[in-house]
Amino acid sequence: MLYFQSMYTPLGLKQKLHAVWPLLDERTRRVMAANEALSLGFGGISEVHRACGLSRKAIAKGIDEIQKGIVPPAGRIRRPGAGRKSLTESNPRLLEALEAMIDSQTRGDPESPLRWICKSTRTIAAQLARKKYPVSHAKVAQILNDLNYSLQSNRKTEEGADHPDRDEQFRHINAAVKKCLKQGVPVISVDTKKKELIGNYDNAGQQWLPTKQPRKVQGHDFPNPEVPRAYPYGIYDLGRNSGFVNVGTDHDTGAFAVASIRGWWRFEGRRLYPDANMILITADGGGSNGSRLRLWKLELQKFADQTGLCISVCHFPLGTSKWNKIEHRLFSFITSNWRGEPLRDYETIVNLIAKTTTAKGLKVTCRLDRRKYPTGRKVSDEEMENINVERNKFHGDWNYVIRPKAIVKS
Protein backbone atom coordinates (compact mmCIF):
# COMPACT_ATOMS: atom_id res chain seq x y z
CA MET A 1 0.00 0.00 0.00
CA LEU A 2 1.31 3.51 -0.94
CA TYR A 3 1.12 6.45 1.41
CA PHE A 4 1.31 10.05 0.15
CA GLN A 5 2.67 12.92 2.17
CA SER A 6 0.05 15.65 2.70
CA MET A 7 0.78 18.79 0.66
CA TYR A 8 0.28 20.95 3.72
CA THR A 9 3.08 19.45 5.78
CA PRO A 10 6.46 21.19 5.52
CA LEU A 11 7.87 18.29 3.47
CA GLY A 12 4.85 18.12 1.23
CA LEU A 13 4.90 21.86 0.58
CA LYS A 14 8.62 21.75 -0.21
CA GLN A 15 8.10 18.89 -2.69
CA LYS A 16 5.20 20.70 -4.34
CA LEU A 17 7.14 23.93 -4.86
CA HIS A 18 10.35 22.14 -5.87
CA ALA A 19 8.56 20.38 -8.72
CA VAL A 20 7.50 23.59 -10.50
CA TRP A 21 10.09 26.08 -9.25
CA PRO A 22 12.50 25.78 -12.27
CA LEU A 23 9.59 26.48 -14.66
CA LEU A 24 8.69 29.85 -13.11
CA ASP A 25 10.14 33.32 -13.50
CA GLU A 26 10.75 35.89 -10.77
CA ARG A 27 7.17 37.17 -10.64
CA THR A 28 5.31 33.85 -10.95
CA ARG A 29 7.48 32.37 -8.17
CA ARG A 30 6.56 35.28 -5.97
CA VAL A 31 2.83 34.99 -6.74
CA MET A 32 2.75 31.20 -6.31
CA ALA A 33 4.56 31.43 -2.96
CA ALA A 34 2.17 34.19 -1.87
CA ASN A 35 -0.87 32.10 -2.87
CA GLU A 36 0.38 29.14 -0.80
CA ALA A 37 1.02 31.43 2.16
CA LEU A 38 -2.53 32.80 1.96
CA SER A 39 -3.97 29.28 1.88
CA LEU A 40 -1.99 28.31 4.98
CA GLY A 41 -3.27 31.26 6.98
CA PHE A 42 -1.42 32.46 10.09
CA GLY A 43 2.28 31.63 9.88
CA GLY A 44 1.97 30.81 6.19
CA ILE A 45 4.65 33.29 5.11
CA SER A 46 7.23 31.66 7.40
CA GLU A 47 6.24 28.14 6.29
CA VAL A 48 6.58 29.01 2.59
CA HIS A 49 9.84 30.87 3.24
CA ARG A 50 11.34 27.73 4.80
CA ALA A 51 9.99 25.52 2.00
CA CYS A 52 11.24 27.49 -1.02
CA GLY A 53 13.83 29.92 0.32
CA LEU A 54 12.07 33.03 -1.05
CA SER A 55 12.41 36.00 1.31
CA ARG A 56 9.51 37.00 3.54
CA LYS A 57 9.57 40.46 1.96
CA ALA A 58 9.10 38.99 -1.52
CA ILE A 59 6.25 36.73 -0.35
CA ALA A 60 4.53 39.66 1.38
CA LYS A 61 4.89 41.67 -1.83
CA GLY A 62 3.26 38.82 -3.75
CA ILE A 63 0.35 38.77 -1.31
CA ASP A 64 -0.11 42.51 -1.82
CA GLU A 65 -0.14 42.04 -5.62
CA ILE A 66 -2.79 39.29 -5.34
CA GLN A 67 -5.02 41.30 -3.03
CA LYS A 68 -4.76 44.47 -5.16
CA GLY A 69 -4.99 42.65 -8.46
CA ILE A 70 -1.74 44.18 -9.78
CA VAL A 71 -0.91 42.94 -13.27
CA PRO A 72 2.42 43.95 -14.91
CA PRO A 73 2.53 45.32 -18.48
CA ALA A 74 2.51 42.69 -21.21
CA GLY A 75 5.92 41.13 -21.76
CA ARG A 76 7.38 42.46 -18.49
CA ILE A 77 8.22 40.75 -15.20
CA ARG A 78 8.90 43.95 -13.26
CA ARG A 79 7.15 47.30 -13.42
CA PRO A 80 8.94 50.07 -15.38
CA GLY A 81 11.79 51.52 -13.33
CA ALA A 82 11.96 48.59 -10.94
CA GLY A 83 15.03 46.45 -10.36
CA ARG A 84 18.60 47.26 -9.50
CA LYS A 85 20.00 50.49 -10.91
CA SER A 86 22.78 50.25 -13.49
CA LEU A 87 26.36 50.90 -12.37
CA THR A 88 26.52 54.15 -14.30
CA GLU A 89 23.37 55.39 -12.52
CA SER A 90 24.37 54.30 -9.03
CA ASN A 91 27.92 55.61 -9.54
CA PRO A 92 27.91 58.44 -12.13
CA ARG A 93 31.64 59.03 -11.69
CA LEU A 94 32.38 55.60 -13.18
CA LEU A 95 31.54 56.89 -16.66
CA GLU A 96 33.71 59.98 -16.18
CA ALA A 97 36.61 57.87 -14.94
CA LEU A 98 36.33 55.51 -17.91
CA GLU A 99 36.24 58.27 -20.52
CA ALA A 100 39.08 60.19 -18.86
CA MET A 101 41.23 57.06 -18.73
CA ILE A 102 40.84 56.09 -22.40
CA ASP A 103 40.79 59.62 -23.83
CA SER A 104 44.50 59.64 -24.58
CA GLN A 105 44.21 56.14 -26.10
CA THR A 106 41.40 56.93 -28.54
CA ARG A 107 41.97 55.90 -32.15
CA GLY A 108 39.96 55.92 -35.36
CA ASP A 109 38.58 58.05 -38.15
CA PRO A 110 37.46 61.30 -36.44
CA GLU A 111 34.82 62.08 -39.06
CA SER A 112 33.05 58.81 -38.29
CA PRO A 113 30.85 58.44 -35.19
CA LEU A 114 32.64 55.16 -34.47
CA ARG A 115 35.80 55.19 -32.39
CA TRP A 116 38.39 52.56 -31.52
CA ILE A 117 40.52 51.93 -28.47
CA CYS A 118 43.67 49.85 -28.09
CA LYS A 119 43.25 48.54 -24.54
CA SER A 120 41.38 45.31 -23.81
CA THR A 121 38.26 45.37 -21.64
CA ARG A 122 40.06 43.33 -18.96
CA THR A 123 42.90 45.87 -18.81
CA ILE A 124 40.42 48.75 -18.55
CA ALA A 125 38.44 46.94 -15.82
CA ALA A 126 41.63 46.31 -13.84
CA GLN A 127 42.67 49.98 -14.06
CA LEU A 128 39.20 51.12 -12.97
CA ALA A 129 39.35 48.74 -10.00
CA ARG A 130 42.65 50.32 -8.94
CA LYS A 131 40.88 53.69 -9.06
CA LYS A 132 38.20 52.35 -6.65
CA TYR A 133 35.64 51.67 -9.40
CA PRO A 134 35.13 47.88 -9.29
CA VAL A 135 33.54 46.72 -12.52
CA SER A 136 33.65 43.56 -14.64
CA HIS A 137 35.24 43.46 -18.09
CA ALA A 138 31.83 42.51 -19.53
CA LYS A 139 30.29 45.67 -18.08
CA VAL A 140 33.16 47.73 -19.53
CA ALA A 141 32.38 46.30 -22.96
CA GLN A 142 28.70 47.21 -22.54
CA ILE A 143 29.47 50.79 -21.47
CA LEU A 144 31.95 51.33 -24.32
CA ASN A 145 29.41 49.97 -26.79
CA ASP A 146 26.87 52.50 -25.47
CA LEU A 147 29.50 55.24 -26.00
CA ASN A 148 29.93 54.21 -29.66
CA TYR A 149 33.33 52.63 -29.12
CA SER A 150 34.34 49.41 -30.84
CA LEU A 151 36.81 47.24 -28.96
CA GLN A 152 39.27 46.83 -31.80
CA SER A 153 42.52 48.37 -32.85
CA ASN A 154 41.85 48.20 -36.59
CA ARG A 155 43.11 51.10 -38.65
CA LYS A 156 40.41 52.69 -40.70
CA THR A 157 42.85 54.84 -42.65
CA GLU A 158 46.53 54.53 -43.51
CA GLU A 159 48.81 56.06 -40.90
CA GLY A 160 52.11 55.58 -42.65
CA ALA A 161 55.15 54.26 -40.83
CA ASP A 162 54.75 54.33 -37.06
CA HIS A 163 57.36 56.35 -35.20
CA PRO A 164 58.77 54.38 -32.24
CA ASP A 165 57.94 57.30 -29.90
CA ARG A 166 54.47 57.88 -31.30
CA ASP A 167 52.51 56.57 -28.31
CA GLU A 168 54.85 58.31 -25.88
CA GLN A 169 54.23 61.60 -27.71
CA PHE A 170 50.47 61.06 -27.38
CA ARG A 171 50.91 60.64 -23.64
CA HIS A 172 53.16 63.73 -23.50
CA ILE A 173 50.54 65.84 -25.30
CA ASN A 174 47.76 64.50 -23.10
CA ALA A 175 49.68 65.33 -19.92
CA ALA A 176 50.58 68.83 -21.16
CA VAL A 177 46.98 69.60 -22.14
CA LYS A 178 45.57 68.40 -18.82
CA LYS A 179 48.12 70.42 -16.87
CA CYS A 180 47.41 73.62 -18.79
CA LEU A 181 43.63 73.24 -18.61
CA LYS A 182 43.88 72.72 -14.86
CA GLN A 183 45.93 75.92 -14.54
CA GLY A 184 43.56 77.94 -16.75
CA VAL A 185 46.08 78.26 -19.58
CA PRO A 186 44.39 78.51 -23.01
CA VAL A 187 44.82 75.31 -25.03
CA ILE A 188 44.01 75.38 -28.75
CA SER A 189 44.06 72.69 -31.39
CA VAL A 190 44.85 74.03 -34.88
CA ASP A 191 44.80 72.76 -38.44
CA THR A 192 43.78 73.63 -41.99
CA LYS A 193 40.65 71.92 -43.24
CA LYS A 194 40.97 70.60 -46.80
CA LYS A 195 40.72 73.31 -49.42
CA GLU A 196 37.26 73.79 -50.94
CA LEU A 197 36.35 74.72 -54.50
CA ILE A 198 34.21 77.84 -54.81
CA GLY A 199 31.32 77.46 -57.24
CA ASN A 200 28.40 75.22 -58.10
CA TYR A 201 30.35 72.03 -57.44
CA ASP A 202 29.22 68.73 -56.01
CA ASN A 203 29.57 68.57 -52.23
CA ALA A 204 29.36 65.14 -50.61
CA GLY A 205 26.23 64.34 -48.63
CA GLN A 206 22.46 64.56 -49.01
CA GLN A 207 19.72 67.05 -48.14
CA TRP A 208 15.92 66.88 -48.02
CA LEU A 209 14.56 68.28 -51.29
CA PRO A 210 11.29 67.92 -53.22
CA THR A 211 11.01 64.52 -54.87
CA LYS A 212 12.77 64.21 -58.23
CA GLN A 213 14.14 67.75 -58.05
CA PRO A 214 17.86 67.30 -57.31
CA ARG A 215 20.20 70.24 -57.56
CA LYS A 216 22.25 70.29 -60.74
CA VAL A 217 25.93 70.76 -59.93
CA GLN A 218 29.29 70.31 -61.63
CA GLY A 219 31.65 67.49 -60.86
CA HIS A 220 35.09 68.54 -59.71
CA ASP A 221 37.21 65.73 -61.09
CA PHE A 222 39.01 68.17 -63.39
CA PRO A 223 38.27 71.70 -62.13
CA ASN A 224 39.61 74.72 -63.91
CA PRO A 225 42.91 75.79 -62.27
CA GLU A 226 41.53 79.33 -62.19
CA VAL A 227 38.59 78.32 -59.99
CA PRO A 228 38.94 80.12 -56.63
CA ARG A 229 39.52 78.03 -53.54
CA ALA A 230 38.88 78.51 -49.85
CA TYR A 231 41.36 77.54 -47.13
CA PRO A 232 39.54 77.23 -43.78
CA TYR A 233 42.07 77.33 -40.94
CA GLY A 234 40.54 76.29 -37.64
CA ILE A 235 41.36 77.07 -34.02
CA TYR A 236 39.52 74.89 -31.49
CA ASP A 237 39.52 76.02 -27.85
CA LEU A 238 39.61 72.80 -25.80
CA GLY A 239 38.74 74.46 -22.51
CA ARG A 240 35.65 76.30 -23.78
CA ASN A 241 34.46 73.99 -26.59
CA SER A 242 34.45 76.83 -29.10
CA GLY A 243 35.84 77.21 -32.59
CA PHE A 244 37.30 80.04 -34.62
CA VAL A 245 37.76 79.58 -38.38
CA ASN A 246 39.73 81.93 -40.62
CA VAL A 247 38.78 81.33 -44.26
CA GLY A 248 41.70 82.27 -46.49
CA THR A 249 41.41 83.05 -50.20
CA ASP A 250 45.06 82.90 -51.27
CA HIS A 251 47.45 80.16 -50.08
CA ASP A 252 47.83 77.94 -47.04
CA THR A 253 51.27 78.95 -45.74
CA GLY A 254 52.96 79.20 -42.36
CA ALA A 255 52.25 82.92 -42.37
CA PHE A 256 48.54 82.26 -42.98
CA ALA A 257 48.44 79.68 -40.17
CA VAL A 258 49.92 82.10 -37.60
CA ALA A 259 47.79 84.98 -38.91
CA SER A 260 44.74 82.82 -38.18
CA ILE A 261 45.92 82.18 -34.62
CA ARG A 262 46.66 85.89 -34.23
CA GLY A 263 43.11 86.64 -35.44
CA TRP A 264 41.67 84.27 -32.83
CA TRP A 265 43.70 85.95 -30.08
CA ARG A 266 42.64 89.47 -31.12
CA PHE A 267 38.95 88.70 -31.62
CA GLU A 268 38.40 86.16 -28.82
CA GLY A 269 41.46 84.92 -26.95
CA ARG A 270 42.61 88.03 -25.11
CA ARG A 271 39.02 88.75 -24.02
CA LEU A 272 38.46 85.21 -22.74
CA TYR A 273 41.91 84.88 -21.14
CA PRO A 274 42.87 88.38 -19.95
CA ASP A 275 45.47 87.06 -17.47
CA ALA A 276 47.11 84.55 -19.80
CA ASN A 277 50.86 84.70 -20.32
CA MET A 278 51.10 81.49 -22.34
CA ILE A 279 49.20 79.53 -24.99
CA LEU A 280 49.51 75.80 -25.64
CA ILE A 281 49.04 74.83 -29.28
CA THR A 282 48.56 71.24 -30.45
CA ALA A 283 49.21 70.93 -34.17
CA ASP A 284 49.87 68.36 -36.87
CA GLY A 285 53.42 67.41 -37.76
CA GLY A 286 53.06 68.58 -41.36
CA GLY A 287 51.28 71.18 -43.46
CA SER A 288 51.39 74.92 -42.89
CA ASN A 289 51.96 74.36 -39.16
CA GLY A 290 54.46 71.53 -39.56
CA SER A 291 57.18 70.83 -37.02
CA ARG A 292 59.91 71.29 -39.66
CA LEU A 293 58.49 74.43 -41.28
CA ARG A 294 60.80 77.38 -40.65
CA LEU A 295 58.21 80.00 -41.61
CA TRP A 296 55.80 78.62 -39.00
CA LYS A 297 58.35 79.13 -36.22
CA LEU A 298 59.43 82.55 -37.51
CA GLU A 299 55.83 83.80 -37.57
CA LEU A 300 55.20 82.37 -34.10
CA GLN A 301 58.17 84.40 -32.86
CA LYS A 302 56.60 87.54 -34.31
CA PHE A 303 53.30 86.65 -32.66
CA ALA A 304 55.03 86.10 -29.30
CA ASP A 305 56.85 89.44 -29.59
CA GLN A 306 53.62 91.29 -30.45
CA THR A 307 51.57 89.82 -27.60
CA GLY A 308 54.17 89.07 -24.91
CA LEU A 309 52.87 85.49 -24.79
CA CYS A 310 54.97 82.36 -24.50
CA ILE A 311 53.87 80.02 -27.29
CA SER A 312 54.14 76.36 -26.29
CA VAL A 313 53.71 73.92 -29.18
CA CYS A 314 53.17 70.14 -29.23
CA HIS A 315 53.12 68.42 -32.63
CA PHE A 316 51.47 65.12 -33.42
CA PRO A 317 53.81 62.67 -35.19
CA LEU A 318 53.48 62.54 -38.96
CA GLY A 319 50.64 60.33 -40.15
CA THR A 320 48.56 60.76 -36.98
CA SER A 321 46.72 64.01 -37.72
CA LYS A 322 43.32 62.40 -37.24
CA TRP A 323 43.95 62.31 -33.47
CA ASN A 324 44.17 66.08 -33.32
CA LYS A 325 41.10 67.21 -31.33
CA ILE A 326 40.09 69.79 -33.93
CA GLU A 327 39.39 67.03 -36.46
CA HIS A 328 36.57 65.36 -34.57
CA ARG A 329 35.39 68.25 -32.39
CA LEU A 330 35.15 70.97 -35.04
CA PHE A 331 35.90 69.97 -38.63
CA SER A 332 33.68 66.87 -38.62
CA PHE A 333 30.68 68.99 -37.55
CA ILE A 334 31.41 71.64 -40.17
CA THR A 335 31.48 68.93 -42.83
CA SER A 336 28.20 67.51 -41.53
CA ASN A 337 26.57 70.95 -41.40
CA TRP A 338 27.24 71.79 -45.06
CA ARG A 339 26.80 68.30 -46.53
CA GLY A 340 25.11 68.37 -49.93
CA GLU A 341 25.33 72.18 -50.09
CA PRO A 342 27.27 73.65 -53.06
CA LEU A 343 29.79 76.19 -51.77
CA ARG A 344 28.95 78.84 -54.35
CA ASP A 345 30.88 81.74 -52.82
CA TYR A 346 33.00 82.70 -49.83
CA GLU A 347 30.02 84.21 -48.02
CA THR A 348 28.21 80.86 -48.20
CA ILE A 349 31.19 79.12 -46.59
CA VAL A 350 31.48 81.72 -43.82
CA ASN A 351 27.74 81.56 -43.03
CA LEU A 352 27.61 77.76 -43.00
CA ILE A 353 30.65 77.49 -40.74
CA ALA A 354 29.32 80.15 -38.35
CA LYS A 355 26.02 78.25 -38.01
CA THR A 356 27.72 75.02 -36.95
CA THR A 357 26.55 73.86 -33.51
CA THR A 358 26.43 70.60 -31.55
CA ALA A 359 24.33 69.11 -28.76
CA LYS A 360 27.23 69.75 -26.37
CA GLY A 361 27.15 73.51 -27.01
CA LEU A 362 29.86 74.06 -29.63
CA LYS A 363 29.89 77.62 -30.95
CA VAL A 364 31.90 78.71 -33.98
CA THR A 365 33.07 82.14 -35.11
CA CYS A 366 34.13 82.55 -38.73
CA ARG A 367 35.78 85.37 -40.64
CA LEU A 368 36.99 85.84 -44.20
CA ASP A 369 40.66 86.64 -44.82
CA ARG A 370 41.35 88.16 -48.27
CA ARG A 371 45.00 89.02 -47.58
CA LYS A 372 47.75 87.62 -49.78
CA TYR A 373 50.11 84.94 -48.47
CA PRO A 374 52.69 84.33 -51.20
CA THR A 375 54.46 81.01 -51.35
CA GLY A 376 58.21 80.46 -51.68
CA ARG A 377 59.24 82.55 -48.66
CA LYS A 378 62.71 81.42 -47.63
CA VAL A 379 63.77 81.69 -44.00
CA SER A 380 67.52 82.08 -43.60
CA ASP A 381 69.73 80.38 -41.03
CA GLU A 382 70.34 83.77 -39.41
CA GLU A 383 66.59 84.32 -38.95
CA MET A 384 66.27 80.85 -37.41
CA GLU A 385 69.10 81.56 -34.96
CA ASN A 386 67.25 84.66 -33.77
CA ILE A 387 64.15 82.66 -32.80
CA ASN A 388 63.96 82.46 -29.00
CA VAL A 389 63.01 78.78 -28.81
CA GLU A 390 63.37 76.42 -25.87
CA ARG A 391 63.19 72.76 -26.89
CA ASN A 392 61.78 70.10 -24.60
CA LYS A 393 64.11 67.31 -23.47
CA PHE A 394 61.68 64.82 -24.99
CA HIS A 395 61.61 65.30 -28.76
CA GLY A 396 62.49 68.98 -28.94
CA ASP A 397 61.58 68.85 -32.63
CA TRP A 398 57.95 68.12 -31.63
CA ASN A 399 57.73 69.95 -28.30
CA TYR A 400 59.07 73.47 -27.80
CA VAL A 401 58.30 76.92 -26.38
CA ILE A 402 58.87 80.16 -28.29
CA ARG A 403 59.31 83.05 -25.87
CA PRO A 404 58.97 86.76 -26.69
CA LYS A 405 62.19 88.67 -27.21
CA ALA A 406 60.44 92.01 -26.78
CA ILE A 407 56.87 93.09 -26.13
CA VAL A 408 55.43 95.18 -28.92
CA LYS A 409 51.87 96.48 -28.60
CA SER A 410 49.59 95.11 -31.28
Side-chain angles (χ1 to χ4, degrees):
M1 180 179 292
L2 298 175
Y3 295 92
F4 294 91
Q5 183 72 37
S6 171
M7 289 299 180
Y8 291 99
T9 64
L11 180 59
L13 180 61
K14 188 172 184 178
Q15 290 174 341
K16 177 183 179 180
L17 295 175
H18 180 74
V20 297
W21 212 247
L23 307 177
L24 307 178
D25 59 32
E26 177 186 326
R27 181 177 181 276
T28 51
R29 285 178 181 178
R30 183 172 67 245
V31 172
M32 182 175 182
N35 190 56
E36 293 295 334
L38 285 172
S39 65
L40 290 174
F42 182 77
I45 291 179
S46 295
E47 288 290 337
V48 174
H49 163 66
R50 286 190 289 269
C52 68
L54 200 63
S55 71
R56 290 180 174 83
K57 184 178 179 180
I59 297 171
K61 182 179 179 181
I63 292 173
D64 186 62
E65 290 176 340
I66 293 173
Q67 292 176 341
K68 293 182 178 179
I70 298 174
V71 179
R76 294 187 63 93
I77 296 175
R78 299 172 176 172
R79 70 180 184 277
R84 185 173 59 185
K85 299 296 183 183
S86 67
L87 281 176
T88 52
E89 289 184 56
S90 59
N91 190 353
R93 291 190 176 183
L94 169 63
L95 192 60
E96 296 176 10
L98 175 58
E99 289 199 293
M101 188 184 71
I102 66 176
D103 183 68
S104 62
Q105 303 292 329
T106 304
R107 308 187 67 189
D109 182 351
E111 298 210 6
S112 166
L114 190 64
R115 294 180 288 181
W116 286 259
I117 63 172
C118 304
K119 294 181 179 179
S120 71
T121 53
R122 294 182 187 275
T123 301
I124 294 172
Q127 290 190 9
L128 285 172
R130 286 194 288 270
K131 294 178 178 290
K132 309 301 182 184
Y133 297 103
V135 62
S136 70
H137 68 91
K139 186 63 178 179
V140 169
Q142 179 187 333
I143 295 173
L144 288 172
N145 184 64
D146 293 341
L147 293 173
N148 290 327
Y149 279 85
S150 175
L151 296 179
Q152 310 172 52
S153 59
N154 296 343
R155 297 179 181 180
K156 191 173 178 65
T157 57
E158 288 294 331
E159 300 173 6
D162 288 346
H163 193 285
D165 294 328
R166 185 196 66 172
D167 290 348
E168 189 62 31
Q169 176 65 1
F170 285 165
R171 284 187 280 270
H172 176 85
I173 293 175
N174 189 55
V177 168
K178 285 186 175 180
K179 180 179 179 181
C180 286
L181 289 177
K182 187 176 181 179
Q183 296 174 346
V185 174
V187 181
I188 57 174
S189 172
V190 302
D191 194 15
T192 307
K193 196 179 187 303
K194 68 180 182 69
K195 62 183 177 183
E196 305 288 348
L197 294 175
I198 302 298
N200 191 35
Y201 290 95
D202 181 32
N203 196 3
Q206 296 177 325
Q207 285 190 339
W208 289 102
L209 295 170
T211 304
K212 296 183 179 180
Q213 296 183 34
R215 285 196 180 109
K216 294 182 179 181
V217 296
Q218 295 176 265
H220 50 270
D221 296 332
F222 301 98
N224 186 330
E226 301 300 322
V227 171
R229 288 162 169 77
Y231 301 87
Y233 191 92
I235 294 94
Y236 175 74
D237 186 336
L238 274 70
R240 296 180 178 269
N241 188 32
S242 61
F244 180 91
V245 180
N246 188 40
V247 180
T249 61
D250 190 38
H251 294 96
D252 180 25
T253 67
F256 169 64
V258 177
S260 301
I261 298 172
R262 184 183 292 108
W264 166 79
W265 178 252
R266 286 178 174 174
F267 284 94
E268 294 189 357
R270 63 183 177 185
R271 172 178 55 84
L272 297 173
Y273 303 97
D275 299 325
N277 54 21
M278 185 180 82
I279 296 176
L280 174 60
I281 300 174
T282 63
D284 291 350
S288 59
N289 43 229
S291 59
R292 297 181 180 179
L293 193 66
R294 289 187 166 196
L295 184 58
W296 158 256
K297 293 185 176 71
L298 179 64
E299 293 294 330
L300 283 180
Q301 181 67 70
K302 294 178 182 177
F303 177 47
D305 292 343
Q306 291 169 347
T307 60
L309 295 168
C310 293
I311 312 299
S312 178
V313 184
C314 292
H315 289 279
F316 287 88
L318 290 173
T320 62
S321 61
K322 61 182 175 291
W323 286 301
N324 200 346
K325 294 290 185 184
I326 194 171
E327 296 288 349
H328 47 89
R329 292 192 181 177
L330 178 62
F331 287 166
S332 61
F333 295 110
I334 292 174
T335 299
S336 177
N337 187 55
W338 70 24
R339 64 184 182 275
E341 184 74 35
L343 306 177
R344 292 187 170 86
D345 49 46
Y346 290 115
E347 287 69 23
T348 298
I349 290 181
V350 171
N351 289 333
L352 288 173
I353 291 176
K355 291 178 181 178
T356 302
T357 58
T358 67
K360 291 187 176 181
L362 172 70
K363 293 183 179 180
V364 183
T365 302
C366 187
R367 63 190 290 268
L368 186 62
D369 186 349
R370 293 188 180 275
R371 288 173 292 183
K372 297 296 182 181
Y373 297 95
T375 59
R377 165 75 161 90
K378 300 294 183 182
V379 179
S380 67
D381 293 341
E382 183 180 356
E383 287 177 308
M384 288 300 295
E385 290 175 0
N386 288 328
I387 295 177
N388 187 15
V389 59
E390 178 183 328
R391 302 185 186 278
N392 194 284
K393 292 180 180 179
F394 175 74
H395 269 286
D397 52 335
W398 291 343
N399 309 293
Y400 50 87
V401 178
I402 294 179
R403 302 183 184 279
K405 293 185 293 185
I407 299 177
V408 180
K409 293 184 179 181
S410 58

